[in-house]
Amino acid sequence: MELEQAIVSRRSVRKFTAAAVATADVLAVVGSAVQAANAGNEQLWHFHVITDAGLKDELAAIVRRKLADLGTQTGTGAEELKPVVAAATLFAGAPALVAVTTARYRSRADRLLQKAGLSEAEIDGLRCRPDLQSVGAAVQTLLLAAWARGYGTCYMTGPLVARPELEARLGVKAPQSLAAFVALGRAAIVPASRGRKPLDAVVTVHGTD
């Protein structure tokens, strides 16, 4: 599949067939992902490839418990929670799951900001977390590599409502922290395009031809 075709045709897949995904195939798409642009070429990411159905179910159960607790705390009923739970746990129905972690990136410019007295939160606010931007670049590359190989994917951050609990189960330790899930498998349903805004709505050109 040509790159442009993959970019335009890719969809977020939320329903998967039961067909198993070879670990070698997941490793191949992760191999593409690590070629992504990243802050300072520090390559701070780490990828947990999960094909064990029992572990995926455990992770989904962790997310369900967290959302149930939040429902109790906020007085949100079970019916109202249903779509939230379904969206945050759909990865359990995918043959493979990739959990992506990263560590906070700090450059020379960041260290200057630290010396100037800015807090970690203030630096993150100014710099927009280059490490998370790097994860986004890697995940998008992974999505396209998977699509080109005939696999559907769903880029997920909903499960991170239970991030500390998920990290504990996966053995993720500081300075790494969980940044995203990617569900992966053969698509049972390929959704239609939901469209994109026209370029003139999202682009401002500063300059002349």
Side-chain angles (χ1 to χ4, degrees):
M1 185 183 294
E2 294 294 328
L3 176 60
E4 188 67 25
Q5 182 186 358
I7 292 170
V8 173
S9 65
R10 187 206 61 81
R11 302 285 182 267
S12 292
V13 170
R14 293 175 172 82
K15 292 187 183 300
F16 301 88
T17 72
V21 176
T23 300
D25 281 354
V26 186
L27 293 177
V29 299
V30 171
S32 295
V34 299
Q35 300 302 316
N38 66 97
N41 197 33
E42 291 287 336
Q43 304 173 57
L44 295 170
W45 46 52
H46 190 86
F47 301 81
H48 295 254
V49 175
I50 302 160
T51 56
D52 181 85
L55 178 53
K56 285 189 276 117
D57 286 342
E58 282 186 57
L59 299 175
I62 288 169
V63 176
R64 288 190 194 97
R65 284 195 296 271
K66 182 67 172 187
L67 288 170
D69 289 345
L70 289 171
T72 300
Q73 292 172 29
T74 61
T76 304
E79 282 302 310
E80 192 175 347
L81 276 177
K82 268 186 181 179
V84 181
V85 173
T89 60
L90 69 86
F91 62 84
L97 171 65
V98 182
V100 190
T101 70
T102 189
R104 182 176 264 102
Y105 172 77
R106 285 293 180 244
S107 67
R108 291 186 180 89
D110 295 320
R111 288 191 281 276
L112 284 174
L113 293 170
Q114 287 173 327
K115 287 182 179 179
L118 274 71
S119 68
E120 292 289 293
E122 288 170 327
I123 294 171
D124 286 343
L126 278 176
R127 301 271 283 129
C128 298
R129 289 295 300 272
D131 45 280
L132 294 182
Q133 294 186 49
S134 300
V135 165
V139 170
Q140 178 67 5
T141 304
L142 188 155
L143 304 184
L144 292 173
W147 190 253
R149 285 175 171 264
Y151 291 107
T153 55
C154 189
Y155 186 177
M156 305 178 67
T157 57
L160 300 188
V161 295
R163 185 169 61 82
E165 296 89 345
L166 294 171
E167 288 174 343
R169 180 61 188 87
L170 290 172
V172 177
K173 293 181 172 60
Q176 288 285 309
S177 62
L178 189 60
F181 274 8
V182 179
L184 188 151
R186 300 290 182 188
I189 298 173
V190 177
S193 172
R194 297 172 64 184
R196 289 294 185 267
K197 295 177 181 179
L199 280 182
D200 60 7
V202 298
V203 176
T204 301
V205 178
H206 299 269
T208 58
D209 291 337

